Amino acid sequence: MDFGVVLQTDPPGSAVVALMRRAERQGFRYGWTFDSSVLWQEPFVIYSRVLEHTERMIVGPMVTNPSTRTPEVTASTFATLNEMYGNRTVCGIGRGDSAMRVAGRKPDTLARLGEAIGVIRDLAEGREADVDGRRLRIPWVRDGRLPVWMAAYGPRALAMAGRLADGFILQLADPFLTEWMIKAVRTAAAEAGRDPGTVTICVAAPAYVGEDLDRAREQCRWFGGMVGNHVADLVSRYGEHSGLVPEALTSYIKARQGYDYAHHGRTGNPDTAFVPDEIVDRFCLLGPPAAQIEKLRALRDLGVDQFALYAMHDAKEATIDAYGQHVIPALTG
């Protein structure tokens, strides 16, 4: 099982670089960040510094989208980093939640997202791609490699991830829902003639190590609100009792009243009071190392290849260190 750390690019950018270096020393192989141009600093600038100051870490956004940067710009940016630092990037991509909505736009359609996945990967790896009806190729790319992993929750998005993406990003760590969604992705991959085992499965969620569960829950409750944005989209599209989305995912947002992106992904978010303790416990990794190891082993048995830890609370360093000392050795030894 691989491990990643997910950070927000809050200033100063040097602090993000320092945390990524710390994570690499503790055995994390992947360094991810949010990508929302108004809310946080530009991640690709910071990736360059992270890559310069680490040896093996693979970096990328969790997640970018096809519109805040056009696909050819995204591909060229990744290809530049890969040329400089030896193919140590991964492109996490989705429809765009905070990045698009903060700018007053709707998230991208799945059709646009599916097209962008192929264009970004082809251009970044030196192949021709169709961009708005014109055949383009980045002529200076040599031996480029860019895996593209897609974030998804709903049935159509899960099927697209299985058909098109190199990896699937699931932003929650509930074993029941993880099993359901992995099955949907792998079924779609098989139906598309792909080997389902070649689709990397990444589960991303906050982790907080310690005995004080009440404190851990309050530090991670924001995550239920963030996931709730995506769940609300699913309910509006499919209905709460459609049978297409598990009620174990949709039922908790009944009391959700609104969401201010000024508090997005932050501890103490006032728009997450509707998130019950049960959801925090299910979606996150809380408690002492032994409890987290047990849950991660269950996720690994379901086919999860990477756990990406959201370090967005008051114990970033302590959690990264606890994982390096206790959790990662137990899952990778």
Side-chain angles (χ1 to χ4, degrees), residues 178-244:
T178 298
E179 182 177 22
W180 183 84
M181 293 187 186
I182 289 176
K183 181 179 179 180
V185 169
R186 288 183 168 164
T187 297
E191 290 174 349
R194 305 179 67 192
D195 177 358
T198 63
V199 181
T200 302
I201 307 296
C202 174
V203 159
Y208 196 100
V209 178
E211 300 287 346
D212 188 343
L213 287 179
D214 288 336
R215 182 176 187 82
R217 288 176 183 130
E218 290 313 305
Q219 288 291 311
C220 298
R221 196 174 305 277
W222 63 266
F223 184 66
M226 187 185 82
V227 174
N229 294 333
H230 302 288
V231 174
D233 285 345
L234 295 177
V235 170
S236 67
R237 185 175 298 115
Y238 298 107
E240 184 180 345
H241 305 292
S242 65
L244 297 174

Side-chain angles (χ1 to χ4, degrees), residues 85-153:
Y85 300 105
N87 288 336
R88 288 167 53 202
T89 66
V90 56
C91 177
I93 193 167
R95 294 175 57 229
D97 178 37
S98 62
M100 297 294 284
R101 287 184 163 122
V102 166
R105 308 184 188 105
K106 294 181 179 180
D108 285 300
T109 64
L110 282 177
R112 179 169 174 79
L113 174 57
E115 180 181 4
I117 288 172
V119 169
I120 291 169
R121 182 169 50 213
D122 285 344
L123 291 178
E125 295 185 344
R127 295 184 296 275
E128 277 195 352
D130 189 309
V131 180
D132 296 329
R134 180 186 294 270
R135 297 297 294 175
L136 296 180
R137 185 176 69 85
I138 301 176
W140 48 263
V141 173
R142 299 288 184 274
D143 302 318
R145 183 177 181 276
L146 181 65
V148 181
W149 297 5
M150 178 180 161
Y153 290 105

Side-chain angles (χ1 to χ4, degrees), residues 28-294:
F28 289 82
R29 290 192 61 228
Y30 285 76
W32 303 91
T33 73
F34 281 16
D35 177 16
S36 191
S37 302
V38 174
L39 297 178
W40 298 288
Q41 292 182 322
E42 172 54 41
F44 286 92
V45 176
I46 294 173
Y47 296 156
S48 187
R49 295 290 289 173
V50 173
L51 290 166
E52 182 180 2
H53 290 284
T54 57
E55 296 178 2
R56 300 169 302 280
M57 181 168 274
I58 298 166
V59 304
M62 189 175 282
V63 291
T64 193
N65 66 82
S67 290
T68 52
R69 279 174 286 269
T70 59
E72 70 273 17
V73 172
T74 298
S76 182
T77 305
F78 275 111
T80 301
L81 292 173
N82 283 338
E83 187 277 326
M84 293 175 68
Y85 300 105
N87 288 336
R88 288 167 53 202
T89 66
V90 56
C91 177
I93 193 167
R95 294 175 57 229
D97 178 37
S98 62
M100 297 294 284
R101 287 184 163 122
V102 166
R105 308 184 188 105
K106 294 181 179 180
D108 285 300
T109 64
L110 282 177
R112 179 169 174 79
L113 174 57
E115 180 181 4
I117 288 172
V119 169
I120 291 169
R121 182 169 50 213
D122 285 344
L123 291 178
E125 295 185 344
R127 295 184 296 275
E128 277 195 352
D130 189 309
V131 180
D132 296 329
R134 180 186 294 270
R135 297 297 294 175
L136 296 180
R137 185 176 69 85
I138 301 176
W140 48 263
V141 173
R142 299 288 184 274
D143 302 318
R145 183 177 181 276
L146 181 65
V148 181
W149 297 5
M150 178 180 161
Y153 290 105
R156 290 175 56 218
L158 293 168
M160 178 175 285
R163 292 194 310 270
L164 302 178
D166 301 298
F168 162 52
I169 296 172
L170 173 58
Q171 291 166 313
L172 54 80
D174 175 69
F176 171 78
L177 293 169
T178 298
E179 182 177 22
W180 183 84
M181 293 187 186
I182 289 176
K183 181 179 179 180
V185 169
R186 288 183 168 164
T187 297
E191 290 174 349
R194 305 179 67 192
D195 177 358
T198 63
V199 181
T200 302
I201 307 296
C202 174
V203 159
Y208 196 100
V209 178
E211 300 287 346
D212 188 343
L213 287 179
D214 288 336
R215 182 176 187 82
R217 288 176 183 130
E218 290 313 305
Q219 288 291 311
C220 298
R221 196 174 305 277
W222 63 266
F223 184 66
M226 187 185 82
V227 174
N229 294 333
H230 302 288
V231 174
D233 285 345
L234 295 177
V235 170
S236 67
R237 185 175 298 115
Y238 298 107
E240 184 180 345
H241 305 292
S242 65
L244 297 174
V245 182
E247 290 192 30
L249 179 62
T250 61
S251 60
Y252 86 98
I253 68 162
K254 290 179 181 178
R256 179 181 182 271
Q257 295 183 342
Y259 193 85
D260 182 351
Y261 280 90
H263 311 289
H264 188 59
R266 300 195 183 280
T267 297
N269 186 334
D271 299 322
T272 61
F274 71 93
V275 181
D277 288 350
E278 176 198 2
I279 287 293
V280 183
D281 292 348
R282 283 172 44 201
F283 284 10
C284 303
L285 276 291
L286 310 177
Q292 302 204 21
I293 290 167
E294 181 181 3

Side-chain angles (χ1 to χ4, degrees), residues 2-8 16-34 47 50 54 57-62 202-207 306-313 315-317 319-321 323 328:
D2 279 333
F3 287 83
V5 63
V6 191
L7 302 174
Q8 293 166 334
V16 179
V17 177
L19 280 170
M20 292 291 191
R21 295 182 68 187
R22 187 186 198 112
E24 184 182 58
R25 291 195 299 270
Q26 294 291 1
F28 289 82
R29 290 192 61 228
Y30 285 76
W32 303 91
T33 73
F34 281 16
Y47 296 156
V50 173
T54 57
M57 181 168 274
I58 298 166
V59 304
M62 189 175 282
C202 174
V203 159
Q306 179 185 151
F307 174 62
L309 182 164
Y310 284 100
M312 298 170 192
H313 44 58
K316 298 180 182 69
E317 293 88 350
T319 299
I320 288 170
D321 291 349
Y323 261 67
I328 293 176

